[in-house]
Amino acid sequence: MACGTIRTAPGPAGPRLLQIVDELRAVLAGHRVGEGALEELFMGRNATSAIGVAQARGVILVTLAGAGLPVFEYKPAQVKAALTGYGMAGKAQMIRMLELQVRAPGRLDDHAADALAIALCHARSRRLRTFAEARLP
């Protein structure tokens, strides 16, 4: 339906987080959204960056919960395996598989490509989950 990146200007966290909430609410208002999917937080070496990502992720989770949407989370290796068949795939492999599977309007930035990969992972996992639940006695 739509794909993009929310960009905030450098500065204090409060206004930046509020911008994320406002833009996500606009996306939810403009599209029929039934579920949310996020990549699980990965703690890298840069603690300052991880804190900012955790804060942004927190406001996204709160906004989705406030909209009454169920949220599903996936490990990076799950997303890679769902898209490429290999849980240790590199960024170039991921981009190539996205290009083969989805018609995107122009070149996606890394964040939009990651979000699209998570969406595809969720769609595939959801189908598998629905199939498995239908087969249970």
Side-chain angles (χ1 to χ4, degrees):
M1 283 194 259
C3 182
T5 301
I6 297 172
R7 297 195 185 285
T8 61
R16 297 174 75 193
L17 295 171
L18 184 58
Q19 179 185 343
I20 292 169
V21 170
D22 291 343
E23 290 193 35
L24 181 53
R25 283 183 177 154
V27 169
L28 295 174
H31 299 281
R32 287 184 12 192
V33 178
E35 298 173 337
L38 290 118
E39 189 173 64
E40 288 183 7
L41 186 59
F42 172 74
M43 293 297 285
R45 294 177 190 229
N46 186 340
T48 303
S49 176
I51 290 169
V53 171
Q55 289 174 330
R57 199 171 178 286
V59 298
I60 291 167
L61 288 168
V62 167
T63 303
L64 294 173
L69 298 173
V71 177
F72 299 84
E73 299 183 57
Y74 300 94
K75 294 181 181 342
Q78 285 177 283
V79 176
K80 292 174 181 183
L83 199 64
T84 69
Y86 178 55
M88 300 298 288
K91 183 62 84 176
Q93 289 172 289
M94 295 289 289
I95 296 291
R96 179 66 182 138
M97 291 306 288
L98 277 174
E99 291 170 350
L100 292 171
Q101 298 175 48
V102 177
R103 248 186 274 174
R107 170 105 168 94
L108 299 175
D109 67 38
D110 285 350
H111 300 297
D114 287 346
L116 188 53
I118 294 163
L120 285 173
C121 173
H122 176 62
R124 291 177 179 146
S125 297
R126 187 174 188 273
R127 273 189 292 223
L128 183 59
R129 194 170 31 256
T130 302
F131 176 75
E133 288 170 358
R135 308 260 317 154
L136 293 174

